[in-house]
Amino acid sequence: MKSINIICGSFLPERTAGANRLAIVAKELSKNNKVNVIYLLKPGHKFNINLIPHEVTENKNIHLHPIEIEFFSKSNFISRIINETKHALLLMNKSKEVKSEINITSIPFLMLLPVSGLYCFFSKSKNILEVRDLIWKYLEFKSGFLNKILYKTLKFICQFSINRFDKVITVTESQKSEIESISSIETTCIPNGLDYKSFNELKSLGEVENNGKIEITYAGSIGYPQNLSTLLDAAKKIDNKNVIFNILGDGPEKITLEQYARNKEISNVIFHGSVNFDEIKKVYKRSNFLYAQLRDIPSLKTAEPTKIFEYASTGREIVFGVKGDASKLLDNFDSVLKVEPDNVDDLVSTINNLKYNTKISSYNIKKIEDDFIREDITKMYSEVI
């Protein structure tokens, strides 16, 4: 039995794509190994073991090492770099303290890659990097001389750091190609999916049940990549009083969007805030269509949001503003309406043509069950390590 450290920016009970993925990875690797999960708690939060699922806390081969951090603002990039460097150092110092034969560092936590890359110089362990996002591209879309300098600097540091690892894991083939273009390190793609428990709960929702209105729902992070002002502007232009928009989730742009909706007197959009999975399912149950969007920028071309797997598992029709790899992933499913990202008029036109529908796609549900269950996919980790 080997000892493995998983080092990451978040873990359960946070309901994020990364936390959910790594929980399944930890359970898979714990079958034949001792697994230490070293992670940051949400800023300002205390560790509460009662919030962690029993299948994790009762697993004798999984050991949690949460690190408490204070709240900090991410609005100032320089301040964010400083704080996240501190937090990355906390993670890596804890990893050094909790000795292991294998370290798996999972990003996109911004400064964890360069800091962990530095630690690889002094580590006798086997070091594996899991890339869920190409973080050096975060500044690629920003204008201004300083941002361009920061982008080039961050890109150089990240690429240098990648070459300190023994192996790399990506979640998309495009990310794998990108890594292979800058590094000779052995790289494997282990794609995303949805955990079996969530899939079973979502597929059990059955047909749509509402009062005859057309409900369009977005559930997820509310930030720059999603650009949900497009949805708000479209909602403002919809004259049909039977169309309702739901926005579930939280993020750096939530307050701004709520204020924007008030200023524009957009009355057909309901902000539900951050809610638990049971509440999300209730809204999904009465939703005819599920919406999402990714900005049309280079840094998001290789993204494949896990939201796609969640939406498809409900069988609801999907409306997605998308290009790049996510668009190709959607080609695996039916009942999908693609619209031009950030294009309000295209979205309005699509919404105006939507018909009230309570049926679900059994094909999409079967496709997820056959090809995109996380527990099946993560078995590849045992082969990689």
Side-chain angles (χ1 to χ4, degrees):
M1 179 177 284
K2 295 180 180 178
S3 58
I4 301 173
N5 285 355
I6 296 177
I7 307 152
C8 50
S10 67
F11 195 67
L12 301 177
E14 284 194 55
R15 187 170 170 76
T16 63
N20 292 335
R21 176 183 170 97
L22 290 174
I24 302 300
V25 171
K27 284 188 279 186
E28 169 62 28
L29 294 178
S30 71
K31 292 175 181 177
N32 298 299
N33 306 280
K34 174 187 174 183
V35 179
N36 299 298
V37 185
I38 301 166
Y39 64 102
L40 300 176
L41 292 172
K42 209 170 181 179
H45 285 227
K46 301 290 185 180
F47 178 64
N48 184 348
I49 196 169
N50 295 320
L51 298 177
I52 308 294
H54 294 306
E55 61 262 29
V56 174
T57 57
E58 294 175 2
N59 187 323
K60 294 181 180 180
N61 284 340
I62 297 180
H63 305 271
L64 303 181
H65 301 270
I67 297 174
E68 295 178 3
I69 59 173
E70 296 179 356
F71 177 83
F72 68 100
S73 173
K74 293 185 178 182
S75 57
N76 182 292
F77 186 74
I78 300 299
S79 173
R80 178 182 176 183
I81 289 289
I82 293 171
N83 279 289
E84 292 198 1
T85 299
K86 289 183 197 174
H87 299 154
L89 286 167
L90 289 173
L91 286 168
M92 297 312 301
N93 284 336
K94 175 59 75 172
S95 176
K96 188 177 179 182
E97 178 185 320
V98 183
K99 298 184 184 300
S100 67
E101 297 165 78
I102 300 171
N103 292 326
I104 301 175
T105 302
S106 182
I107 63 172
F109 182 61
L110 186 58
M111 294 308 295
L112 186 54
L113 173 54
V115 172
S116 59
L118 180 64
Y119 270 68
C120 287
F121 275 114
F122 311 102
S123 173
K124 294 181 180 179
S125 305
K126 182 178 182 180
N127 293 291
I128 299 172
L129 176 67
E130 183 192 64
V131 177
R132 290 180 286 111
D133 212 347
L134 304 177
I135 58 174
W136 55 91
K137 288 183 173 285
Y138 281 6
L139 287 172
E140 192 173 19
F141 57 85
K142 297 282 189 179
S143 59
F145 178 74
L146 179 59
N147 280 321
K148 290 186 183 300
I149 294 297
L150 286 172
Y151 165 64
K152 290 182 178 180
T153 303
L154 181 62
K155 182 179 179 181
F156 173 79
I157 292 172
C158 288
Q159 292 179 353
F160 177 80
S161 301
I162 287 171
N163 285 286
R164 309 280 73 78
F165 287 84
D166 299 300
K167 289 186 177 182
V168 177
I169 296 170
T170 66
V171 297
T172 75
E173 288 294 338
S174 291
Q175 290 171 351
K176 180 175 181 285
S177 297
E178 179 88 16
I179 297 295
E180 289 175 336
S181 71
I182 59 175
S183 170
S184 59
I185 304 298
E186 179 185 340
T187 303
T188 304
C189 177
I190 303 179
N192 261 319
L194 189 67
D195 66 277
Y196 197 67
K197 181 175 182 292
S198 297
F199 167 73
N200 271 332
E201 292 182 32
L202 291 171
K203 80 169 185 177
S204 299
L205 292 177
E207 293 191 358
V208 178
E209 290 182 9
N210 60 24
N211 57 3
K213 293 185 179 292
I214 293 177
E215 295 206 28
I216 302 169
T217 294
Y218 170 80
S221 179
I222 304 175
Y224 180 86
Q226 294 77 32
N227 190 22
L228 291 182
S229 62
T230 304
L231 184 63
L232 294 185
D233 289 337
K236 177 69 174 176
K237 291 186 174 185
I238 299 298
D239 294 325
N240 188 343
K241 302 301 181 185
N242 285 320
V243 178
I244 296 173
F245 299 86
N246 299 296
I247 296 180
L248 294 82
D250 203 352
E253 294 195 359
K254 176 176 173 284
I255 295 174
T256 302
L257 285 173
E258 287 177 324
Q259 185 62 52
Y260 183 79
R262 286 192 291 269
N263 292 344
K264 295 285 187 178
E265 298 182 340
I266 303 172
S267 59
N268 55 351
V269 176
I270 302 170
F271 286 88
H272 296 259
S274 181
V275 296
N276 62 36
F277 193 48
D278 286 337
E279 292 300 314
I280 292 174
K281 287 188 295 180
K282 288 178 184 177
V283 179
Y284 281 167
K285 177 65 178 175
R286 64 174 192 260
S287 297
N288 309 86
F289 303 91
L290 301 179
Y291 169 81
Q293 175 175 263
L294 284 176
R295 284 182 185 267
D296 184 18
I297 54 177
S299 56
L300 297 176
K301 294 289 189 189
T302 62
E304 291 182 357
T306 54
K307 189 59 54 188
I308 293 174
F309 309 113
E310 185 171 305
Y311 281 4
S313 297
T314 70
R316 271 65 180 161
E317 194 158 1
I318 300 169
V319 180
F320 213 123
V322 66
K323 287 187 176 179
D325 284 6
S327 178
K328 296 175 186 175
L329 177 59
L330 284 165
D331 290 338
N332 287 284
F333 305 100
D334 65 12
S335 300
V336 174
L337 298 171
K338 296 181 190 177
V339 296
E340 188 75 18
D342 312 316
N343 189 321
V344 175
D345 290 336
D346 193 22
L347 182 56
V348 170
S349 176
T350 299
I351 293 171
N352 281 332
N353 287 317
L354 296 180
K355 305 297 182 185
Y356 181 76
N357 179 31
T358 62
K359 301 296 182 182
I360 61 172
S361 168
S362 56
Y363 174 85
N364 285 355
I365 294 172
K366 186 69 165 56
K367 186 68 177 174
I368 294 292
E369 186 168 27
D370 289 346
D371 298 336
F372 296 105
I373 296 298
R374 269 204 180 113
E375 283 83 347
D376 297 332
I377 296 170
T378 53
K379 290 175 181 177
M380 295 173 65
Y381 271 84
S382 298
E383 300 171 12
V384 171
I385 65 170

